[in-house]
Amino acid sequence: MASGIIRHKRRHLLHGSEELFRALIQNSTDIITIHDAEGITIYETPSASRILGYLPGALIGKSPFDAIHPKDVEGTRVAFHSVLEGSREVLPVEFRFHHADGSWIWLEGVGANLMHHYGIEGIVLTSRDITPRKNAEKQLNYLANHDALTGLPNRLLMEDRLRQAIAQAHRNGYLAAVMLIDLDQFKMVNESLGHHAGDLLLMEVARRIKQCAREGDTIARLGGDEFTVILHNAGTVEHVSSIAQMILEEFSRPLTIDRQELFTSASIGISIYPADGDEPDALIKHADTAMYSAKKLGRSNHRFFTDDLNAKVRERIVLENGLRTAVQRNELRLYYQPKVNVASGRIIGAEALLRWQHPQLGLVSPEIFIPIAEETGLIVPIGEWVLRTACNQICVWHNAGHELHVAVNLSPYQLREQDLCDRITEIMLQTGVPANQLEVEITESVLVENAENAIAVLNTLKSQGIAIAIDDFGTGYSSLSYLGRFPLDILKIDQSFVRNITTDEGNTAIVRAILALAKSLGMKVVAEGVESNTQLSFLSAHGCDFAQGYFFSPPVEAERFVQLVKAGAMAKTAPESIRLFKRNT
């Protein structure tokens, strides 16, 4: 009796287990298949039909390797035979399987050897659909290697492609080339039309570069407005040059952005493998060097890297690094060039001119280091040092009884600093400089670049008693209407007009016009670059107020300048004035 009850319970439990197993198999989200020793499918779960799209039982009697992607067959065969030959299980294997609709889906399979298990007697494979995961990985990999805006390869992928290009060129004995493309004045588009317009411009630029490149070349966006083209088989240097010129010509056509027609241009620097380097970093660096050289030539130019350019870059690095510590190391100097009252011949002030005494290179010309200071932003702290030093010198002279006006040049980069007026006010308070003895000089380009901000800054300075002068007048692009808007006190005639003032009718007319214009606006005029008594006589006859130049004195240090002031009149009207000057100097 008791044994019968136990057998009944066992049969009931067995029947329950079978029902449970059948339910699990029927509703499994994984594909479970059983294969014989040859790999032929002898069993499949219903999930195979749901996931693969085939009719139920379609896999039975067939080899799964026939439906696996050709590139994945070898790996899956190795895994299958590893299980067959004794391994209990193998690590998951990823492979592509042919779906009934013709597409490929990704499966991840694990095998178990149950050949000797009663009721199964085969290799059991459990496969899971990982297509969504693989698609996500693909998307992440794409985003990691491509620019989100243009869809072009980014720097990471570009460097990998460049390594491939170098390896191919090395094997086949041909040239590879790197072009670095930088848009001219892209920042202006962003600032005037907004970042949306800037993005549209970059997308159009990318499209145009693609049109000029060949199939197999790599076009990449490095960031901002910089693009790179890698020519995997560059052919000849002449061919590379023709492609660069084609890109520049493509840029010369107008672009329509947000229904507005724009014109842009680019500068292209080019390096060649193997002449300019055999590593990606070297080729990119040298292309960058050539690109900056192309920019200095003006818009829409391309230039190849040369050893001469490399030497200039090394020199620039030395200068830039030295300039960063020049103030702390007390290497900067202020020289003063006298400004002379044309009528009396007496010194009424000076223009403060910056010089740099480099410990190894000697006296470096401001024409060399000022552009570097502006490009790197160092002009702001250096400009502050100049202003403070000049104000201190004015006070020294003032306390010694010399009422001298000193003009200090303000860079356009300084004028963009929001706290410029506060800094100048602070320096004036700290040094005690009389405001009416300080002048600031701006270049004519300031009149057209961010004019509203410049007007506000100069009005603030003018309200404190500081005189405002416009330097190199006549060489810029401003219209006369700007003169009435800016709080100007002094116009400085550029030396290029003064040089041939008595022999060139055009220069004569320009100088006369400037003098008449200044008089009508109530401004004083300073003539720069006066080198002869003939020039001085002409300026005096036409009512010029002040003059400076080598006829009177080159820029000199503060101590020498005081000696000139104490000497009295520097020039009058005859050779006597020249004798006086030479005797005093």
Side-chain angles (χ1 to χ4, degrees), residues 181-219:
I181 305 169
D182 187 84
L183 300 186
D184 298 322
Q185 296 187 321
F186 173 71
K187 184 179 179 182
M188 187 178 297
V189 175
N190 266 344
E191 291 179 347
S192 58
L193 300 180
H195 289 283
H196 175 67
D199 288 347
L200 294 177
L201 174 60
L202 291 172
M203 293 167 67
E204 176 60 18
V205 164
R207 189 188 67 80
R208 293 192 178 190
I209 295 175
K210 284 182 182 179
Q211 289 181 337
C212 300
R214 309 161 306 173
E215 186 177 354
D217 292 334
T218 297
I219 302 100

Side-chain angles (χ1 to χ4, degrees), residues 407-427:
V408 175
N409 292 281
L410 286 184
S411 165
Y413 294 86
Q414 290 176 268
L415 285 169
R416 295 172 190 164
E417 295 292 306
Q418 294 185 352
D419 61 345
L420 175 65
C421 291
D422 293 336
R423 289 185 184 184
I424 293 177
T425 300
E426 180 183 357
I427 290 172

Side-chain angles (χ1 to χ4, degrees), residues 106-119:
W106 278 94
L107 299 177
E108 180 183 71
V110 176
N113 188 339
L114 299 178
M115 294 292 290
H116 303 293
H117 193 287
Y118 178 74

Side-chain angles (χ1 to χ4, degrees), residues 553 556-565 581 583-585:
S553 171
V556 294
E557 292 183 317
E559 295 78 6
R560 181 67 184 131
F561 182 83
V562 171
Q563 294 177 9
L564 296 175
V565 172
F581 169 70
R583 185 170 66 250
N584 291 332
T585 58

Side-chain angles (χ1 to χ4, degrees), residues 18 20 53 87 94 138 160 180 184 187 195 197 205 228 234 245 302 306 343 359 374 409-410 536 547 560 562 572:
E18 290 174 349
L20 177 61
S87 297
E94 295 179 356
K138 183 179 179 181
D160 182 67
L180 193 63
D184 298 322
K187 184 179 179 182
H195 289 283
V205 164
T228 298
Q245 194 57 41
H302 74 274
T306 64
E374 291 181 332
N409 292 281
L410 286 184
L536 181 63
R560 181 67 184 131
V562 171
K572 292 183 180 176

